[in-house]
């Protein structure tokens, strides 16, 4: 095997590499036995509810009533697994396995079972005949396990249900994880997805010194559910150039002949592993010239449904899309299909693989690595076990001095950037910021004082704060950012994904899928809690000065608040000190999705640090300094707000009412933690009935100014006393490139709209209310004329403060 080291071609073959690459007859026998055992268990899971070891001929009653699962991808997944296990056994390499086509779940469940991990975690699924039967019966069945490589599968950090994310998870898992190799099997159907196509670029951000390595294995079995795949039908030379163009050293294995495939795959895997080790060794020993290494990857061309029934009812199955799910249907009713199934299962010779008790025989077990090196038992895949808390500075040290509420402006996210800079500095091995090219734009650029952007491609003289040693992750792909952070979190490390609010919807599906993962993980005692997925949305709908409508979309809030209360949190800090308090809380939390929404522009500051900490701890509170309500009786109206810009409008509206209708009693309530609004039985953060009444009363009308879509608040206060009295204003899809205040006007959430709403909804109106309404209407008309003429907001609005 040949490597490029310091520009020279060198032949290096280590002893270990030779061992991995060459198979003796015994090696082939072990690999073949393990693979047969895994395939047998895979088929058993899909089909059988009795007679697991075929001790007697199959009968219709042995067959499950509903045949669910996916066979086609499974033999390829287990073939690779067997070879990687052998490599681990020989070399002690730490590795985890990510199955892109996660629908091959039974193959990975079978692997964990053969490795003994499954029974260690789920003792009822023991390594004997009754345990095997449980393994079969639980698969895809009510009360059992799902058909994918899901949270219940030991060794998994990747479900592979929603296709496209295997490489992003794999790359995230190896960042700051120098000893780990993540083997990532990419389905050729999966390779057609946008996220996957964009994720080959992971190597352009990998550092061979402080990061581990990803070994992508593109599994070209040629078919998807119902047809051919693009890469499967492309000229192989084109596929090769595509991947070489991404910077990979492409190694190929192709065929279905046995044992030839074992020999060729073992040699190729050894080659790939040797190349990875050599890249790492040379970089870690100071011999690296700094150029982006050509990391190896493997293309495996093997038939879909390999070793399954070649034909069924005269139609070709193996090697075609027909083997994707359950290649034999109607087995209970169709004696011919039952006979094919029996022949198929017996072709693996189960009597050679499992002993009298039903446990795997020595030949099968001999492939299994020791203890934690088993991929199904790797602590990397149960990252909460090895996670270390962040060393966090005192967030109070970054506070904005607030002498009086609403009198001075500051860029809140800039303070957060300073906090994150010090988190980077103090946690060089376990914290990263992920951002689609907007760290500076989001005012988080202080992090560059201690870390560059990571970049493994060529750097030129004009580039700033970017180097191969950097650890700030900037790639113009929300999918990569989100997925890398998930992989980083699930292997025990901490981070934050900061993105423009509107484009968080690009990766919203990942947010949803990760929420499902966290939710399921919480049901499993053996899955230790992992650092939370922190998402910071800045550059929000309300202040997208030069961007306009495409950049105005608060949809992710809507997405996250429909997730289950055990995992979802939404915070809308109104100013810098609240942001710092919320961020500190989120960085300490475990196994949540924390959504934080705050704008990056200079904005009014309201609370000093002590008040902010108290306010954020409660999640919502009365801002008595903003209203005219002394708390002795119910106010005439409650002006509530959640979100920075609408909070300013609310405080301004309260001021107008205070000055122009001094007898009108207004209470201002600010909500930071959106999830305090639901009833406690609907969300664990839900505030008590008493507190809700203290803030919102039981009967007074509430004019609620919300950062996002108004329906969200109605959804959240559902079931609260007289929920109909909430009159919510928020973003109603009125957007364009315009002035900041005009955005609030267009969406009907300006201070003038709020004042009119207050007047329209209060049960008791003092004299002068009608005149004030008319004044507001005049102000709005004045605004319309002014902005068109002057191209900016009226000074009384633009420079407004308390
Ligand atoms: C994003 C997404 N779209 C569609 C599907 C439905 N789906 C499940 S499996 C599959 C085909 C996958 O083909 P491939 O990745 O080649 O896997 P394999 O052939 O190895 O089964 C599709 C389209 C999905 N799971 N995820």
């Amino acid at each position: 095997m040949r490597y490029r080291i310091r520009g020279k071609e060198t032949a290096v073959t280590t002893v270990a590499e030779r061992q991995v690459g060459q198979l003796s007859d015994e090696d082939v026998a072990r690999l073949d036995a393990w693979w047969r055992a895994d395939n047998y268990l895979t088929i058993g899971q899909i089909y059988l509810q009795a007679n697991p070891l075929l001790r007697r001929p199959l009968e219709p009653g042995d067959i499950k009533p509903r045949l669910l699962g996916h066979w086609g991808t499974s033999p390829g997944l287990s073939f690779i697994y067997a070879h990687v296990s052998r490599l681990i056994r020989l070399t002690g390499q730490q590795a985890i396995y990510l199955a892109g086509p996660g629908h091959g779940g039974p193959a990975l469940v079978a692997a964990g079972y053969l490795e003994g991990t499954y029974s260690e975690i789920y003792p009822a699924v023991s390594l004997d005949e009754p345990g095997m039967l449980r393994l079969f019966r639980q698969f895809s069945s009510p009360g059992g396990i799902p058909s994918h490589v899901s949270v219940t599968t030991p060794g998994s950090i990747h479900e592979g249900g929603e296709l496209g994310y295997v490489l992003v998870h794999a790359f995230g898992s190896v960042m700051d994880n120098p000893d780990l190799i993540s083997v990532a099997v990419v389905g050729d159907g999966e390779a057609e997805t946008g996220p996957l196509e964009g994720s080959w670029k992971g190597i352009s951000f990998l550092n061979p010194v402080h990061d581990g390595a990803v070994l992508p294995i593109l599994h070209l079995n040629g078919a998807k559910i119902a047809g051919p795949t693009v890469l499967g039908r492309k000229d192989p030379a084109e596929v090769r150039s595509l991947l070489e163009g991404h910077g990979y050293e492409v190694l190929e294995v192709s065929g279905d002949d046995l044992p030839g495939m074992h020999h060729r795959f073992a040699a190729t895997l050894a080659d790939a592993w040797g190349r990875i080790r050599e890249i790492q060794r040379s970089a870690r020993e100071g011999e690296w010239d700094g150029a982006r290494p050509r990391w190896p990857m493997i293309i495996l061309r093997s038939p879909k449904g390999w070793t399954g029934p070649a034909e069924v009812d005269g139609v070709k199955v193996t090697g075609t899309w027909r083997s994707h799910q359950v290649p034999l249907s109607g087995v209970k009713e169709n004696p011919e299909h039952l006979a094919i199934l029996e022949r198929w299962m017996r072709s693996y010779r189960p009597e050679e693989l499992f002993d009298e008790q039903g446990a795997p025989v020595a030949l099968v077990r001999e492939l299994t690595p020791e203890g934690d090196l088993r991929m199904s038992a790797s602590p990397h895949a149960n990252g909460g076990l090895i996670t270390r808390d962040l060393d966090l500075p005192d967030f109070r040290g970054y506070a904005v001095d607030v002498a009086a509420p609403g009198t001075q402006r500051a860029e809140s996210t800039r303070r957060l950037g300073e906090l994150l800079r010090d988190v980077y500095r103090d946690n060089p091995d376990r914290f990263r910021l992920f951002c689609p090219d907007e760290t500076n734009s989001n005012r988080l650029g202080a992090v560059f004082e201690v870390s560059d952007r990571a970049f493994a491609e060529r750097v030129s003289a004009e580039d700033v704060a970017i180097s191969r040693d950097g650890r700030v992750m900037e790639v113009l792909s929300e999918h990569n950012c989100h997925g890398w952070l998930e992989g980083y979190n699930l292997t025990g490390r901490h981070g934050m994904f900061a993105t423009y609010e509107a484009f968080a919807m690009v990766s919203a599906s990942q947010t949803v899928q990760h929420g499902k993962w966290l939710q399921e993980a919480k049901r499993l005692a053996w899955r230790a809690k992992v650092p939370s997925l922190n998402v910071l949305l800045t550059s929000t709908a309300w202040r997208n000065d030069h961007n306009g409508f495409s950049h105005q979309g608060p949809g992710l809030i809507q997405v996250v608040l429909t997730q289950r209360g055990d995992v979802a949190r939404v915070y809308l800090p109104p100013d810098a000190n609240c942001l710092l308090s919320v961020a500190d809380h989120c960085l300490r939390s475990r196994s949540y999705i924390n959504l934080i929404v705050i704008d990056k522009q200079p904005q009014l500051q309201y609370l000093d640090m002590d008040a902010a900490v108290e306010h954020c701890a409660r999640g919502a509170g009365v801002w008595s300094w903003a209203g005219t309500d002394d708390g002795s009786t119910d106010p005439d109206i409650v002006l509530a707000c959640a979100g920075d810009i609408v909070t300013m409008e609310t405080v301004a509206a309260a001021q107008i009412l205070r000055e122009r209708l001094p007898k009108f009693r207004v209470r201002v309530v600010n909500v930071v933690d959106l999830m305090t609004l639901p009833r406690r039985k609907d969300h664990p953060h839900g505030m008590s009935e008493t507190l809700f009444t203290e803030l919102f009363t039981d009967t007074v009308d509430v004019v609620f100014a919300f950062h996002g879509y108004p329906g969200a608040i109605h959804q959240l206060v559902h079931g609260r006393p007289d929920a109909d009295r909430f009159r919510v204003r928020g973003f109603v899809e009125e957007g364009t490139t315009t002035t900041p205040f005009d955005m609030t006007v267009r969406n009907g959430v300006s201070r003038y709209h709020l004042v009119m709403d207050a007047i329209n909804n209060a049960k008791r109106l003092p004299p002068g209310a009608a005149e004030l309404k008319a004044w507001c209407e005049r102000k709005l008309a004045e605004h319309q004329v002014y902005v068109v003429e002057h191209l900016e907001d009226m000074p009384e609005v633009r420079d407004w403060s308390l």
Side-chain angles (χ1 to χ4, degrees):
M1 281 143 242
R2 308 197 71 78
Y3 305 98
R4 251 189 119 65
I5 297 172
R6 279 172 293 174
K8 285 195 301 249
E9 284 278 328
T10 324
V12 180
T13 312
T14 61
V15 176
E17 200 184 319
R18 264 202 308 277
Q19 271 183 344
V20 177
Q22 290 169 5
L23 297 181
S24 66
D25 289 348
E26 292 75 34
D27 290 328
V28 172
R30 273 192 287 270
L31 281 163
D32 184 59
W34 193 94
W35 188 40
R36 279 189 284 134
D38 195 291
N39 285 336
Y40 181 85
L41 295 173
T42 296
I43 302 159
Q45 288 176 78
I46 295 173
Y47 286 97
L48 298 189
Q49 61 173 347
N51 192 13
L53 281 161
L54 301 187
R55 303 255 197 228
R56 54 175 171 73
L58 270 183
E59 293 167 5
D62 299 335
I63 307 299
K64 291 182 176 182
R66 299 163 72 231
L67 299 180
L68 305 167
H70 299 79
W71 160 248
T73 192
S74 296
L77 292 178
S78 51
F79 180 84
I80 297 166
Y81 198 102
H83 281 266
V84 178
S85 285
R86 178 171 168 276
L87 179 143
I88 294 170
R89 248 190 100 95
L90 289 171
T91 63
Q93 176 64 53
Q94 295 178 40
I96 59 171
Y97 190 101
L98 291 86
H103 42 279
L108 273 291
V109 168
Y113 182 72
L114 289 173
E115 292 187 330
T117 322
Y118 213 90
S119 309
E120 288 161 21
I121 293 174
Y122 308 109
V125 188
S126 44
L127 276 170
D128 52 20
E129 188 168 351
M132 191 187 292
L133 184 58
R134 270 207 185 88
L135 182 82
F136 291 179
R137 288 181 60 93
Q138 68 172 15
F139 177 75
S140 287
S141 55
I145 61 164
S147 69
H148 284 69
V149 190
S150 65
V151 195
T152 58
T153 312
S156 171
I157 61 162
H158 174 80
E159 142 125 11
E162 182 165 296
L163 297 167
Y165 309 129
V166 70
L167 285 179
V168 292
H169 288 163
F171 279 108
S173 71
V174 301
M175 289 171 189
D176 299 320
N177 219 348
D179 298 328
L180 181 67
I181 292 183
S182 290
V183 177
V185 181
V186 180
D188 45 356
E190 177 184 23
E192 293 174 15
T193 65
L196 196 289
E197 183 71 43
S199 63
W200 293 107
K201 294 183 182 65
I203 52 169
S204 300
F205 299 85
L206 215 57
N207 177 299
V209 178
H210 58 230
D211 297 327
V214 173
L215 176 60
I217 301 182
L218 175 61
H219 186 203
L220 292 187
N221 61 19
K224 310 189 281 262
I225 298 180
T229 61
V230 174
L231 295 185
R233 293 289 170 89
K234 240 186 205 311
D235 178 346
E238 282 187 353
V239 180
R240 201 182 171 90
S241 352
L242 176 72
L243 297 162
E244 284 175 347
H246 280 298
Y248 291 91
E249 190 71 56
V250 180
L251 312 173
E252 296 191 57
V253 181
S254 163
D256 63 354
D257 54 308
L258 294 167
M261 280 293 275
H262 281 305
H263 286 291
R264 297 199 295 284
F265 195 80
T268 306
L269 185 63
D271 187 359
W273 179 76
R275 286 169 192 269
I276 290 171
R277 297 299 294 162
E278 184 50 24
I279 289 167
Q280 293 177 334
R281 188 204 60 75
S282 65
R284 292 171 193 182
E285 291 176 10
E287 298 172 11
W288 180 29
D289 61 8
R292 192 220 353 95
R294 286 194 83 78
W295 295 94
M297 65 152 300
I298 297 174
I299 296 177
L300 171 65
R301 290 173 197 271
S302 67
K304 190 153 181 163
W306 195 8
T307 73
E311 276 191 11
V312 177
D313 302 331
V315 178
K316 190 168 182 298
V317 172
T318 299
T320 78
W321 53 269
R322 289 195 179 84
S323 65
H324 180 74
Q325 285 167 2
V326 179
L328 284 165
S329 55
V331 182
K332 242 182 185 338
E333 304 79 35
N334 184 332
E336 207 182 310
H337 285 196
L338 186 70
I340 301 176
L341 175 64
E342 176 151 2
R343 272 203 303 282
W344 176 21
M345 292 195 76
R346 288 197 190 281
S347 74
Y348 300 104
R349 305 191 299 283
E351 64 286 357
E352 290 177 10
L353 306 173
F354 303 99
D355 65 17
E356 263 311 295
Q357 275 65 49
V361 299
L363 186 67
V364 173
R365 289 199 317 270
E366 276 164 18
L367 200 74
T368 301
E370 295 287 316
D372 283 359
L373 284 177
R374 295 170 293 176
M375 289 186 282
S376 58
S378 171
H380 293 289
N382 192 0
L385 288 179
I386 49 176
T387 192
R388 284 184 297 140
D389 287 342
L390 284 172
D391 200 351
L392 285 176
D394 183 356
F395 65 93
R396 290 174 177 79
Y398 307 84
V400 172
D401 283 333
V402 179
T407 53
Q408 78 205 70
R409 288 183 159 76
E411 293 167 318
S412 301
T413 54
R414 204 172 284 287
R415 296 300 169 122
L416 176 67
E418 289 163 14
L419 173 80
L420 296 182
R421 171 198 61 206
D422 296 343
V423 178
Y424 254 100
R425 185 197 56 208
D426 298 341
N427 302 274
D429 57 350
R430 59 185 188 282
F431 177 81
R432 290 204 189 200
L433 177 65
F434 300 81
C435 186
D437 185 31
E438 301 141 4
T439 307
N440 265 331
S441 159
N442 291 332
R443 316 289 197 265
L444 302 173
V447 294
F448 296 130
E449 292 168 29
V450 293
S451 170
D452 287 339
R453 299 168 176 89
F455 201 54
E457 301 294 347
R458 190 172 46 80
V459 172
S460 78
E462 298 74 44
D463 297 334
V464 177
I466 184 160
S467 71
R468 66 188 197 203
D469 299 321
R471 296 176 53 257
V472 178
M473 307 312 294
E474 277 202 348
V475 58
L476 209 175
S477 159
E478 286 74 14
H479 289 123
N480 277 314
C481 289
H482 201 295
W484 288 348
L485 176 55
E486 287 174 53
Y488 200 67
N489 282 159
L490 291 173
T491 47
R493 285 79 52 69
H494 312 252
M496 182 173 280
F497 167 43
T499 183
Y500 281 17
E501 184 179 46
F503 306 133
M505 291 305 282
V506 171
S507 47
S509 198
Q510 290 175 287
T511 315
V512 170
Q513 295 295 337
H514 191 65
K516 290 177 193 286
W517 179 282
L518 294 176
Q519 185 186 321
E520 286 304 296
K522 285 189 173 170
R523 296 187 217 280
L524 301 171
W526 63 271
R527 282 240 178 229
K529 288 190 171 179
V530 291
S532 296
L533 185 101
N534 300 308
V535 182
L536 173 71
L537 302 186
T538 181
S539 301
T540 63
W542 301 102
R543 286 298 306 269
N544 243 298
D545 295 348
H546 55 233
N547 286 312
F549 204 19
S550 61
H551 289 54
Q552 291 158 343
L556 197 71
I557 296 177
Q558 208 71 25
V559 170
V560 174
L561 62 82
T562 55
Q563 295 189 289
R564 300 244 333 170
D566 13 4
V567 294
R569 305 283 178 268
V570 182
Y571 299 99
L572 294 136
D575 67 5
N577 290 341
C578 289
L579 172 63
L580 290 165
S581 171
V582 163
D584 179 76
H585 174 76
C586 293
L587 291 171
R588 291 175 197 279
S589 73
R590 289 280 189 276
S591 291
Y592 292 134
I593 288 175
N594 293 313
L595 184 62
I596 308 172
V597 189
I598 186 165
D599 193 51
K600 64 186 182 184
Q601 305 285 353
Q603 54 186 202
L604 283 175
Q605 303 294 314
Y606 304 102
L607 304 185
D608 66 26
M609 190 45 101
D610 287 342
V613 170
E614 198 191 322
H615 186 49
C616 294
R618 286 164 66 102
V622 175
W623 282 4
S624 49
W625 48 264
T628 46
D629 153 55
D630 62 5
S632 55
T633 53
D634 278 356
D636 296 318
I637 198 84
V638 175
L639 293 186
C641 48
D644 47 5
I645 300 293
V646 293
T647 293
M648 178 173 71
E649 291 309 304
T650 302
V651 172
Q655 187 197 38
I656 293 169
L657 288 165
R658 193 167 62 234
E659 289 174 353
R660 292 175 178 268
L661 288 184
K663 296 224 153 45
F664 191 57
R665 287 196 316 282
V666 177
R667 178 181 296 172
V668 174
V669 175
N670 180 262
V671 179
V672 181
D673 176 352
L674 207 55
M675 295 310 198
T676 54
L677 291 177
R679 294 172 297 185
R680 202 166 262 179
K681 66 177 175 186
D682 296 328
H683 195 286
H685 278 203
M687 66 178 94
S688 67
E689 283 166 32
T690 322
L691 181 57
F692 193 87
T693 302
E694 249 175 57
L695 299 187
F696 297 104
T697 77
D698 283 348
T699 52
V700 174
D701 280 27
V702 180
V703 174
F704 202 121
F706 180 49
H707 174 93
Y709 296 108
I713 299 298
H714 292 298
Q715 181 180 337
L716 292 168
V717 299
H718 169 79
R720 291 293 192 179
D722 193 12
D724 280 357
R725 69 200 156 98
F726 280 74
R727 169 86 177 87
V728 187
R729 291 193 172 262
F731 184 74
V732 288
E733 289 294 337
E734 286 292 340
T736 181
T737 311
T738 188
T739 65
F741 185 66
D742 194 47
M743 271 300 290
T744 67
V745 172
R746 283 167 181 261
N747 287 280
V749 70
S750 76
R751 55 199 67 183
Y752 305 123
H753 288 93
L754 299 179
V755 168
M756 289 191 287
D757 265 359
I759 292 170
N760 287 341
N761 288 282
K763 292 189 184 69
R764 186 194 69 93
L765 281 179
E771 291 76 6
L772 180 54
K773 255 178 78 177
W775 179 82
C776 287
E777 270 157 10
R778 279 201 306 281
K779 279 285 160 198
L780 285 169
E782 207 181 305
H783 156 80
Q784 300 292 3
V785 175
Y786 189 94
V787 286
V788 172
E789 195 177 327
H790 298 271
L791 312 181
E792 60 179 352
D793 286 323
M794 299 187 292
E796 66 190 89
V797 171
R798 201 176 63 228
D799 305 326
W800 177 83
S801 67
L802 278 180

